[in-house]
Amino acid sequence: MTNAEKAQGMLGIVREVHEGGQAIIGPSWAVYDEMAALAGASDVDGMVKYFLAYKRTARGVHMRRRMEVFGKKTLESAERQFMAIARSE
């Protein structure tokens, strides 16, 4: 799998989280926008670093809690799938 293919797959996971929680997140989400930019550059390592860093921020923790309260998919619940794509050959 090429880095471009990996990046698009990883972006798809972030898109699922965003679309599933759009009523909570709102129409625009900086995480999705940043991930889309990194995916456009096929920067898989940058996407992984951003993913891991965001979920540890106060905003990331707050968003995870809100999404969980409403039973929505979170970045954390999608992490295994996201990382499997990043590590695939």
Side-chain angles (χ1 to χ4, degrees):
M1 186 180 295
T2 67
N3 275 356
E5 292 168 331
K6 289 180 187 182
Q8 288 307 308
M10 293 160 67
L11 183 61
I13 293 167
V14 175
R15 184 180 304 114
E16 285 177 29
V17 171
H18 179 244
E19 288 174 355
Q22 206 163 19
I24 300 163
I25 298 169
S28 180
W29 189 28
V31 172
Y32 180 78
D33 296 341
E34 181 64 26
M35 287 289 200
L38 292 166
S42 300
D43 187 356
V44 172
D45 291 336
M47 292 177 78
V48 168
K49 288 176 186 174
Y50 189 83
F51 182 95
L52 295 173
Y54 177 78
K55 67 181 196 152
R56 289 189 296 257
T57 65
R59 176 82 175 142
V61 170
H62 173 74
M63 190 61 63
R64 176 184 51 81
R65 288 180 180 153
R66 288 194 63 204
M67 299 279 275
E68 287 174 344
V69 164
F70 291 98
K72 303 296 183 184
K73 187 174 189 177
T74 66
L75 289 176
E76 289 76 12
S77 67
E79 184 170 1
R80 175 176 276 157
Q81 186 182 11
F82 183 90
M83 296 307 279
I85 293 171
R87 293 181 184 127
S88 65
E89 293 293 323

